[in-house]
Amino acid sequence: MITPTEQRNPRTLAIDAVGTAEILRMVNAEDARVAGAVRAVIPELTRVVDAGVEAVRNGGRVHYFGAGTSGRLAVLDAAELLPTFHAPDDLVIAHHAGGMEALLRAVENVEDSEEGGAADAAGVTSKDLVIGLAASGTTPYVAGALGAARAVGATTALVTSNPAAPLAAYADILVAADTGPEVIAGSTRLKAGTAQKMILNAFSTTLMIKLGRTWSNLMVDMVATNNKLRGRMLRILGEATGADPDACAAALMAADGELKPALVHLLTGSPVPAAREALEATGGRVALALGQLSTARSDTA
């Protein structure tokens, strides 16, 4: 049976016989279908996020496994969590069939190797969440990884664009965004890839929020690795506290460049060491740290 992503799309049969603008309209019209397909799988994605939160809080990790476009998107998502949320390197780990070499160019046969997927999953433990990404739902590399993960008792999930994915048999949770036939048959870097990117964005962002790495809708656990990000940290402090730029800069300096203790210090008036201590006691969650310090002030009033 031909998977949905390999089928010909009846809406784009004449795509090579129309003008440039019409090609772009066809592509855009198909892209517009993706958000609805992702919206339909929010209940399943909710279960994946909750499984990820439970895994991390119990000392486990999140692993992504994918090949080709799916693997590259997984690597991109994991890589962006450090600068955005100051997530530890080993919190969300992306495994791409063929390794770094395959990020830039196709490496023959690696996605067809169940053994390769199982070998890459050798470090998975029963505490972990393992997410396989396979647009077609058939990738042997992902099957090997999910099978190995299940064998050690890890929770497993599959993100795919095939509602009838054979790999669903390896997953505790199936997230199947039904994006249908691609603009160009089989080119899953298009709608299926867009859906996977949206799902990974939603998953990892929600995971970070649930783990306390934001406050309101602000990035308060970011790492300032360049001037743009250092400026963003000062703007965040100003927006969150109403303090002037000089006060924000002084607070950030007192907190050794860490945004969270500077934020709690400015919002509560507590010394930076007390702010840091409250954050450590509440697992780094700003709202809980603020509540703890407010309670402590009330008790001493």
Side-chain angles (χ1 to χ4, degrees), residues 47-48 50-52 54-55 61-63 124-132 146 149-150 152-158 170-173:
R47 293 176 58 201
V48 181
D50 289 343
E54 182 179 2
R61 301 170 296 176
V62 176
H63 296 264
V124 170
T125 75
S126 60
K127 294 181 179 182
D128 296 341
L129 168 66
V130 173
I131 302 174
L146 291 176
R150 283 199 124 181
V152 298
T155 301
T156 58
L158 175 68
Y170 295 87
D172 299 312
I173 308 168

Side-chain angles (χ1 to χ4, degrees), residues 140-189:
Y141 172 84
V142 175
L146 291 176
R150 283 199 124 181
V152 298
T155 301
T156 58
L158 175 68
V159 175
T160 180
S161 284
N162 182 1
L167 294 188
Y170 295 87
D172 299 312
I173 308 168
L174 173 65
V175 182
D178 188 2
T179 53
E182 294 288 2
V183 171
I184 304 299
S187 184
T188 54
R189 57 182 285 273

Side-chain angles (χ1 to χ4, degrees), residues 6-99:
E6 297 291 334
Q7 295 172 2
R8 293 185 72 187
N9 189 329
R11 295 177 294 275
T12 61
L13 292 175
I15 197 166
D16 65 334
V18 299
T20 302
E22 184 58 25
I23 292 172
L24 294 172
R25 277 190 283 269
M26 285 184 180
V27 173
N28 181 252
E30 293 300 309
D31 284 344
R33 298 172 180 269
V34 176
V38 173
R39 186 182 308 115
V41 299
I42 286 177
E44 293 79 13
L45 189 54
T46 298
R47 293 176 58 201
V48 181
V49 172
D50 289 343
V53 172
E54 182 179 2
V56 173
R57 287 183 176 167
N58 289 332
R61 301 170 296 176
V62 176
H63 296 264
Y64 297 151
F65 287 89
T69 296
S70 298
R72 294 182 184 99
L73 289 170
V75 170
L76 176 63
D77 189 77
E80 291 181 336
L81 298 182
L82 172 61
T84 307
F85 298 108
H86 199 192
D89 287 339
D90 61 349
L91 186 68
V92 178
I93 305 168
H95 307 267
H96 184 222

Side-chain angles (χ1 to χ4, degrees), residues 74-294:
V75 170
L76 176 63
D77 189 77
E80 291 181 336
L81 298 182
L82 172 61
T84 307
F85 298 108
H86 199 192
D89 287 339
D90 61 349
L91 186 68
V92 178
I93 305 168
H95 307 267
H96 184 222
M100 292 298 295
E101 181 184 356
L103 287 175
L104 299 178
R105 56 176 55 85
V107 177
E108 290 185 8
N109 301 320
V110 290
E111 71 177 63
D112 295 330
S113 173
E114 284 196 31
E115 295 78 8
D120 285 353
V124 170
T125 75
S126 60
K127 294 181 179 182
D128 296 341
L129 168 66
V130 173
I131 302 174
L133 297 114
S136 66
T138 63
T139 310
Y141 172 84
V142 175
L146 291 176
R150 283 199 124 181
V152 298
T155 301
T156 58
L158 175 68
V159 175
T160 180
S161 284
N162 182 1
L167 294 188
Y170 295 87
D172 299 312
I173 308 168
L174 173 65
V175 182
D178 188 2
T179 53
E182 294 288 2
V183 171
I184 304 299
S187 184
T188 54
R189 57 182 285 273
L190 299 173
K191 289 191 297 180
T194 300
Q196 289 186 352
K197 174 61 172 160
M198 291 177 69
I199 287 169
L200 287 173
N201 276 351
F203 166 78
S204 59
T205 299
T206 308
L207 177 68
M208 294 297 110
I209 291 169
K210 298 286 285 186
L211 292 175
R213 293 184 175 273
T214 65
W215 183 64
S216 182
N217 61 352
L218 296 172
M219 294 187 291
V220 294
D221 221 341
M222 59 185 290
V223 179
T225 56
N226 56 45
N227 287 331
K228 181 186 76 172
L229 295 180
R230 280 186 283 273
R232 182 179 293 167
M233 291 177 86
L234 290 173
R235 285 195 300 276
I236 288 172
L237 282 174
E239 289 171 4
T241 68
D244 62 50
D246 289 341
C248 291
L252 198 58
M253 181 176 295
D256 298 322
E258 293 182 52
L259 199 156
K260 272 187 178 179
L263 174 63
V264 173
H265 158 65
L266 286 172
L267 286 173
T268 65
S270 302
V272 169
R276 199 186 301 280
E277 184 177 324
L279 285 165
E280 291 174 355
T282 57
R285 284 171 280 186
V286 170
L288 295 181
L290 293 174
Q292 184 182 96
L293 289 170
S294 296

